[in-house]
């Protein structure tokens, strides 16, 4: 019998604590079970497998990122919205590097992640509508935005900017470069 109050969402919450402390790659069902105060087999009633738990974690993180992105751009448009989105998404990755790393690079190819990933992409597309981008042009602009935000954040959260100059200054340059690209489109 599962522990009272322990459901799928609670297990995902406990797993996120493990991810935050130990990293996405170090996640094990036994660590989650120990932290939740149950035997490892008890988790299978809630998450099925480690792979399914990882998928649920990624879905939760995508949802968090969507909420953060939405709140960052609320009431803004154009360059101000793009810059706010880019800054907030980078900040999330820096604040939560292990959570950020728990999302696969192509979540749209995981059936369990299509919905939360699509919601995040929709925020990006909505911000770019102010530049009158439609169809393929909107897709390309969204991809460019994702490459800048996610690529920079992945490098930064991995500790790979070894030079003394502040990465925040570099990121501000990238924001300006992306805005210039949007205005040329």
């Amino acid at each position: 019998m599962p522990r009272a109050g322990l459901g799928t969402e609670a297990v995902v919450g406990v797993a996120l604590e493990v991810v935050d402390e130990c990293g996405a790659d170090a996640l094990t069902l036994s660590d989650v079970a120990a932290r939740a105060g149950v035997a490892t087999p008890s988790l299978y009633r809630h998450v099925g497998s480690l792979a399914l738990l990882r998928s649920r974690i990624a879905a939760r993180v995508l949802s968090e990122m969507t909420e953060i992105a939405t709140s960052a751009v609320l009431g803004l448009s154009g360059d101000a919205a793009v810059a706010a989105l880019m800054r907030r998404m980078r900040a999330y990755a820096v604040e939560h590097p292990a959570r950020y790393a728990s999302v696969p690079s192509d979540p749209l190819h995981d059936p369990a992640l299509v919905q939360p990933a699509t919601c995040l992409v929709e925020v990006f597309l909505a911000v770019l509508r102010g530049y009158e981008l439609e169809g393929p042009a909107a897709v390309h602009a969204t991809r460019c935005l994702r490459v800048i935000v996610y690529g920079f954040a992945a490098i930064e959260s991995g500790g790979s900017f070894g030079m003394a100059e502040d990465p925040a200054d570099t990121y501000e340059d990238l924001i300006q470069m992306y805005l210039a690209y949007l205005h040329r489109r």
Side-chain angles (χ1 to χ4, degrees), residues 5 11-12 21 40 52 65 73-74 87 93 100 108 111 118 123 133 136 140 147 161 164-165:
V11 170
V12 172
E21 290 177 22
T40 302
L52 289 173
M65 290 168 52
V73 301
L74 200 61
R87 288 181 187 114
Y100 181 81
L108 291 173
T118 299
V123 175
L133 298 172
H140 295 307
V147 165
F161 288 131
E165 289 73 20

Side-chain angles (χ1 to χ4, degrees), residues 6-19 23-24 26-36 38 40 42-62 99 102-104 110 112-113:
L6 185 66
T8 302
E9 291 306 309
V11 170
V12 172
V14 171
L16 278 170
E17 292 173 10
V18 173
V19 166
L27 181 69
T28 66
L29 288 177
S30 60
D31 286 343
V32 174
R35 192 172 294 227
V38 299
T40 302
S42 297
L43 292 182
Y44 291 103
R45 294 182 182 125
H46 304 292
V47 294
S49 69
L50 181 58
L52 289 173
L53 178 57
R54 287 183 188 280
S55 186
R56 288 185 182 274
I57 289 168
R60 171 91 60 93
V61 171
L62 284 164
R99 285 183 188 216
S102 71
V103 176
D110 179 340
L113 300 180

Side-chain angles (χ1 to χ4, degrees), residues 25 28 36 43 57 86 113 116 121 123 131 142 163 171:
D25 292 337
T28 66
L43 292 182
I57 289 168
M86 292 177 76
L113 300 180
V121 170
V123 175
Y131 296 89
T142 301
M163 297 178 181
Y171 196 71

